Amino acid sequence: MADTSTQSIQVHAPLAQVAAVICDFPRYPEWADAMKQVEVLEEYEDGYAAQVRFVIDAGPLADDYTLDYAYAEDLSRIEWHLVAPSKMQRTLNGSYDLADNGDGTTTVTYMLEVELSIGMLGMFRRKAEKMIMDTALKELKRRVESLAKA
């Protein structure tokens, strides 16, 4: 059974800049430590990625998987799901919900639903999920804010 976790962070940049970083998949290895290779396999007519292949290596969690993406028209929601089970994951669904705070900042809410292919005690799985989400949000914030200052 898949578990769902949600976490939020405030980013000091407008929603459009946050969405641009999230949607720039080929650059993920530049700022997301666990991402070793990211490849856009299919695009929609508007140029946004429809399917993206990820090769990750986060120590004990190494995997190669493909995600299907969907986008809200205003990019306030970017969601994904696993195309097929991978070596490590049976289910992987997630989303970024972006909320413009009206002051030049954006609140990013990250939802992740994961069912691993390998057995893991609930306590350790929850701890791993929290670490993955913390890292993803902090790395996203750091990347967006560093580009906003440039």
Side-chain angles (χ1 to χ4, degrees):
M1 187 158 133
D3 284 332
T4 303
S5 299
T6 304
Q7 200 168 322
S8 297
I9 197 167
Q10 185 173 319
V11 179
H12 296 278
L15 186 148
Q17 288 180 342
V18 177
V21 169
I22 292 170
C23 295
D24 191 1
F25 296 103
R27 294 201 163 204
Y28 276 31
E30 294 176 15
W31 58 270
D33 289 339
M35 299 290 169
K36 301 308 172 196
Q37 183 182 346
V38 181
E39 175 186 11
V40 175
L41 302 176
E42 291 180 24
E43 291 182 344
Y44 293 108
E45 287 180 16
D46 61 8
Y48 286 102
Q51 279 197 356
V52 182
R53 178 177 167 252
F54 294 88
V55 177
I56 63 165
D57 187 352
L61 296 174
D63 206 358
D64 183 335
Y65 57 93
T66 300
L67 299 178
D68 245 342
Y69 279 85
Y71 308 85
E73 196 169 313
D74 63 358
L75 296 179
S76 62
R77 181 175 180 83
I78 300 164
E79 59 185 49
W80 59 89
H81 69 270
L82 192 63
V83 171
S86 68
K87 179 178 73 173
M88 296 289 292
Q89 303 169 89
R90 283 193 194 114
T91 303
L92 175 59
N93 298 309
S95 64
Y96 284 112
D97 286 300
L98 310 178
D100 183 339
N101 296 323
D103 60 0
T105 67
T106 303
T107 298
V108 180
T109 301
Y110 184 24
M111 186 282 298
L112 193 61
E113 177 187 15
V114 180
E115 182 180 2
L116 297 175
S117 299
I118 58 170
M120 187 181 282
L121 292 174
M123 176 181 73
F124 293 116
R125 185 178 59 244
R126 284 186 296 279
K127 193 170 193 170
E129 285 171 3
K130 182 176 175 4
M131 186 184 74
I132 289 165
M133 294 182 83
D134 279 350
T135 301
L137 285 171
K138 287 176 182 169
E139 287 178 336
L140 174 64
K141 176 182 172 74
R142 186 170 38 248
R143 175 67 171 194
V144 172
E145 291 178 354
S146 72
L147 292 175
K149 291 177 185 172

